[in-house]
């Protein structure tokens, strides 16, 4: 790159000098000079009209006696001295008071004169050379179209190590073995173990797949090639396969090495499911990857690490042993993992003494590593906005809501009647959730608009769970119906505010019948098979593997579950109507309640007038 810049700069300098020389040659001022014959000069010398003659090479620069500002230039014969000219004309310069000065000609002047003679040739030659180099650069760019765009990291200066990754200890152990195999292959080869060809990292977005691969690059100490799956595919057929070949050629030349392909599902989707048949550019790229990973040449010391969040749509030939020998699963961290992740992300940030990371981790079930990193960053931004020097627990808790639902919209104008509806709606959710035995404990109620929601009720499980029982799902449906039923009891009508709740209720109830086998009337089996168009990567239809009679039974069972939850929800709210009114009035006055204040509100006695509904 530097040599190319120097050569181009030299060409530009030649062209610039040529333009300057042409300018001075063609446009130099000649107002005070006049070209004359040598005979005229001799005649003037005879008449004593010359005061001075300057000899410059083969030129005579004459200064007339009467007009010293007007110079006369005459060309003499090469090799002839000015004194010989005067002697041939019988003129004595001393008698005529003529001062003769001879200038010594320099080599630079002669060289400049030669350059002036060849100036047009140099100028057009420089332009031709410049055009040829431009054409050559375009040709090189065209020839490099099929080269790999992977970035190579040497690993000598690691920016991320396994110490920077938390919450995925088992995954780190799996990849640590790969790193040790590359560092100390004799330890494994002595037992007959073979180096794994590929490692597939699978997990939802934000669980740390790319971060973990960067940690492998920092720990391995071997060349690390990183590329995204989308960088292989171009509009021209064959370019992706060419880039795959070039990538593996580079890795083989630097073996042992690691190749990391992020979002491999961009090129590794199931073949034959897209539009374009087997000659599709993406499928040719996949075929080349299959050959490079486990073709005839199996002696290469290159490990491929790939990341995806859609392993179900990958081609089976890509997943078989010999290509991806092991699969590393990454999931959202549990409470201990969340505490470890938070410790990593708060490193170097000033925290207040009241910050309890374990309590914060309990408030963030289901958060991924990226969510927790965003949470800490939002808290730091919020503390800076409030002109604080430390990040407090209040900013961290505020950031939890900002990450999950969006920022507060206090400037949103809402009428008193709509605010009252929101207060009773959220009070219904909270009261029903508090009274149910298997519902998640209510942590916070707010009627402040946040994101797209006019208000919200936050309930969190007391512990992380992997499975849900039928009573837990029924209580979740019942609590989701609490807002709509509270509106119906209090105002005698319902609003559109419960639309999202009804979608959630219907989805849970149908899943209980068709997927979880929790129906009391139907057989414990699944009903329907979800189908996906692989080239679209999303579910677009559901295949029915049951009769129309069973479809009616499914609808009846879904309706029965929802009606059972609805009846239970209405019973709870009618029996505790004074408490519902008390909570709603508190929210209208304070807009939000959480923590100990919420516990005290649930446990407090109802005021005497609490049984009167404000909107009734």
């Amino acid at each position: 790159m530097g040599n190319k810049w120097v050569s181009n700069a030299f060409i530009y300098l030649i062209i610039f000098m040529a333009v300057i020389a042409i300018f001075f040659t063609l446009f130099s001022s000649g107002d005070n000079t006049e070209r004359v014959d040598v005979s005229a000069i001799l005649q003037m010398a005879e008449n004593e009209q010359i005061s001075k003659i300057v000899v410059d090479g083969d030129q005579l620069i004459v200064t007339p006696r009467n007009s010293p500002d007007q110079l006369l230039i005459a060309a003499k014969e090469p090799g002839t001295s000015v004194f010989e000219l005067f002697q041939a004309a019988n003129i004595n310069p001393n008698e005529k008071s003529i001062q003769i000065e001879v200038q010594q000609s320099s080599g630079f002047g002669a060289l400049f004169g030669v350059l002036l003679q060849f100036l047009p040739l140099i100028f057009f030659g420089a332009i031709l050379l410049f055009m040829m180099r431009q054409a050559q650069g375009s040709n090189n760019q065209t020839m490099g179209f099929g080269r790999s765009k992977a970035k190579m990291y040497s690993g000598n200066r690691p920016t991320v190590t396994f110490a920077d990754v938390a919450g995925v200890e088992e995954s780190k152990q799996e990849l640590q073995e790969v790193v040790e195999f590359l560092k100390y292959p004799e330890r494994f080869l002595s037992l007959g173990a073979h180096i794994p060809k590929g490692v597939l990292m699978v997990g939802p977005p934000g669980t740390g797949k790319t971060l973990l691969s960067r940690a492998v690059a920092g720990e391995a100490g071997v060349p690390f090639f990183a590329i995204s799956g989308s960088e292989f595919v171009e509009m021209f057929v064959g370019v992706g396969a060419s880039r795959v070949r070039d990538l593996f050629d580079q890795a083989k030349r630097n073996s042992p090495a690691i190749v990391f392909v992020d979002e491999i599902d961009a090129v590794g989707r199931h073949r034959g499911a897209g539009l374009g048949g087997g000659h599709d550019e993406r499928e040719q790229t996949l075929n080349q990857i299959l050959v490079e990973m486990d073709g005839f040449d199996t002696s290469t010391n290159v490990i491929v690490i790939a990341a995806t969040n859609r392993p179900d749509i990958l081609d089976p030939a890509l997943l078989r042993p010999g290509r991806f020998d092991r699969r590393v699963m990454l999931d959202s961290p549990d409470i201990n993992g969340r505490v470890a992740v938070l410790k990593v992300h708060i490193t170097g940030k000033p925290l207040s003494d009241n910050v309890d990371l374990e309590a914060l981790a309990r408030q963030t079930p289901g958060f991924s590593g990226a969510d927790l990193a965003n949470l800490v960053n939002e808290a730091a931004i919020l503390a800076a906005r409030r002109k604080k020097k430390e990040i407090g627990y209040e900013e961290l808790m505020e950031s939890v809501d900002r990450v999950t639902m969006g920022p507060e919209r206090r400037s949103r104008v809402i009428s008193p009647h709509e605010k009252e509806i929101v207060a009773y709606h959220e009070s219904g959710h909270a009261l029903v959730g508090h009274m149910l035995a298997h519902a998640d404990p209510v942590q916070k109620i707010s009627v402040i608009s946040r994101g797209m929601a006019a208000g919200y009720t936050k309930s969190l499980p007391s512990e992380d769970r992997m499975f849900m029982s039928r009573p837990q799902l029924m209580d979740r449906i019942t609590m989701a119906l609490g807002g709509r039923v509270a509106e119906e009891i209090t105002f005698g009508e319902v609003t559109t505010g419960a639309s999202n709740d009804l979608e959630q209720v219907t989805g849970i109830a149908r899943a209980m019948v068709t997927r979880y086998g929790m129906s009391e009337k139907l057989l414990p089996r699944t009903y329907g098979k979800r189908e996906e168009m692989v080239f679209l990567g999303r579910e677009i239809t559901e295949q029915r593997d049951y009769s129309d009679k069973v479809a009616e039974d499914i609808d009846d069972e879904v309706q029965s579950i929802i009606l059972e939850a609805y009846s239970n929800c209405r019973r709870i709210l009618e029996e505790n109507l004074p408490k519902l009114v008390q909570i709603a009035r508190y929210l209208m006055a304070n807009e939000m309640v959480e923590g100990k204040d919420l516990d005290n509100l649930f446990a407090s006695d109802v005021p005497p007038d609490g049984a009167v509904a404000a909107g009734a």
Side-chain angles (χ1 to χ4, degrees), residues 470 474 509 520-521 553-567:
R470 190 179 192 278
M474 288 297 299
E520 297 179 353
K521 296 182 179 180
D553 294 339
I554 291 174
D555 290 340
D556 292 341
E557 279 294 282
V558 171
Q559 186 173 359
S560 175
I561 291 174
I562 296 176
L563 286 177
E564 179 185 349
Y566 178 83
S567 300

Side-chain angles (χ1 to χ4, degrees), residues 326-340:
R326 59 178 62 186
R327 183 178 299 187
V328 177
M329 305 298 298
L330 289 90
D331 203 354
S332 297
D334 56 10
I335 182 170
N336 295 329
R338 293 195 295 274
V339 172

Side-chain angles (χ1 to χ4, degrees), residues 236 240 250 275 368 405 433 503 530 553 557 570:
F236 301 107
Q250 294 182 42
L275 302 177
S368 65
M405 303 190 66
E503 289 181 5
R530 293 174 297 171
D553 294 339
E557 279 294 282
R570 189 176 183 89

Side-chain angles (χ1 to χ4, degrees), residues 321-454:
R323 292 197 172 103
F324 285 104
D325 299 292
R326 59 178 62 186
R327 183 178 299 187
V328 177
M329 305 298 298
L330 289 90
D331 203 354
S332 297
D334 56 10
I335 182 170
N336 295 329
R338 293 195 295 274
V339 172
V341 172
L342 288 171
K343 289 181 179 178
V344 170
H345 291 298
I346 65 173
T347 302
K349 297 181 176 64
L351 293 182
S352 299
D353 296 334
N354 64 342
V355 174
D356 186 355
L357 294 183
E358 186 172 353
L360 179 62
R362 294 186 182 277
Q363 298 289 327
T364 55
F367 274 43
S368 65
D371 293 330
L372 295 173
N374 190 26
L375 184 151
V376 175
N377 185 62
E378 287 288 343
I381 294 175
L382 190 59
R385 187 181 305 164
R386 295 174 179 176
K387 298 181 180 180
K388 292 186 176 181
K389 295 183 179 180
E390 293 180 333
I391 302 174
Y393 190 70
E394 299 79 9
E395 286 77 26
L396 290 169
M397 292 304 300
E398 171 71 14
S399 299
V400 173
D401 294 335
R402 290 175 66 90
V403 171
T404 53
M405 303 190 66
E408 289 185 351
R409 301 171 61 187
R410 292 183 177 271
S411 61
R412 182 177 181 180
V413 179
I414 182 172
S415 65
H417 179 62
E418 286 189 346
K419 186 175 182 179
E420 185 180 17
I421 294 175
V422 173
Y424 276 93
H425 184 102
E426 300 303 332
S427 299
H429 285 308
L431 182 58
V432 172
H434 177 70
M435 301 299 298
L436 293 172
H438 299 93
D440 296 333
V442 180
Q443 304 290 332
K444 183 178 182 179
I445 317 172
S446 174
V447 295
I448 301 174
S449 178
R450 185 181 288 273
M452 299 300 296

